[in-house]
């Protein structure tokens, strides 16, 4: 299959990471797989729903990062993996898994993927999607209310209590590790086109 290129796409919550990742995915069609950090939230099955709701999901300890690292390493070696499925409405991992096959391009997308050094080292290109905080908050409200069954009050309370302070501690400082910073996220056609061209040169080279 040749060289596997691992692309890390990070940035604040609702910064446009998924849009950028999907633009890359569209450019490579069948030669790309996407792993979202959100798939790897820990399940906390031992806690009642009311207790799971109260947890801080914006801290590195909320993720099964070791499993994500192992899955990426396996894909780079040409081995398929069964990645987890997470439910935002139940605040836990589901019993089902999804088969991910090795591919020329592996996109790893998540707001905290640069925080872990072992995870960073698996990435060939690290991208940070840089979007204004006010815009990210508006996008998060719209997304969480319409797609994840949250109330407006709960979204705002979570943003104040954990999202913003955790962003300042575990996301923004790690922007320094990015190879490419993309302002305005998925709206930045020039930056994304240049990025896709670079990835193609690595894959074909």
């Amino acid at each position: 299959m040749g060289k596997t290129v691992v692309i890390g796409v990070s940035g604040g919550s609702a910064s446009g990471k998924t849009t950028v990742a999907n633009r890359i995915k569209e450019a490579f069609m069948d030669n790309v797989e996407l792993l979202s950090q959100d798939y790897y939230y820990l399940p906390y099955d031992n806690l009642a729903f009311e207790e799971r709701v109260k947890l801080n999901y914006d801290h590195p300890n909320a993720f099964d990062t070791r499993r994500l690292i192992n899955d990426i390493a396996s894909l780079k070696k040409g081995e398929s993996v069964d990645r987890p499925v997470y439910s935002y409405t139940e605040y836990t991992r589901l019993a089902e898994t999804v088969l991910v096959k090795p591919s020329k391009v592996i996109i790893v997308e998540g707001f905290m993927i640069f925080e872990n050094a072992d995870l960073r080292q698996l990435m060939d290109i690290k991208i940070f999607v840089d979007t204004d905080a006010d815009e990210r908050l508006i996008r998060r409200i719209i997304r969480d209310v319409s797609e994840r069954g949250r109330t407006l009050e709960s979204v705002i309370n979570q943003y104040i209590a954990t999202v913003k302070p955790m962003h300042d501690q575990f996301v923004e400082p790690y922007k320094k590790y990015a190879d490419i910073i993309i302002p305005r996220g998925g709206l930045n056609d020039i930056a994304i086109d240049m990025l896709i061209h670079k990835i193609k040169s690595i894959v074909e080279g």
Side-chain angles (χ1 to χ4, degrees), residues 12 14 24 54-55 91 111 119 143 152 154 156 167 174 196 201:
I24 300 171
K54 299 175 184 177
L55 295 175
Y91 291 85
F111 67 102
L119 187 54
R143 180 197 67 192
L152 175 61
S154 71
I156 293 174
H167 174 90
Y174 292 89
I196 290 170
S201 70

Side-chain angles (χ1 to χ4, degrees), residues 155-197:
V155 176
I156 293 174
N157 287 342
Q158 184 182 17
Y159 183 84
I160 294 171
T162 63
V163 176
K164 187 181 186 306
M166 295 298 99
H167 174 90
D168 293 341
Q169 185 174 355
F170 295 113
V171 181
E172 190 69 23
Y174 292 89
K175 181 167 65 175
K176 65 185 179 183
Y177 291 107
D179 303 303
I180 301 170
I181 295 176
I182 299 182
R184 306 188 308 281
L187 301 177
N188 196 328
D189 291 333
I190 293 176
I192 294 172
D193 288 344
M194 291 175 65
L195 173 63
I196 290 170
H197 179 75

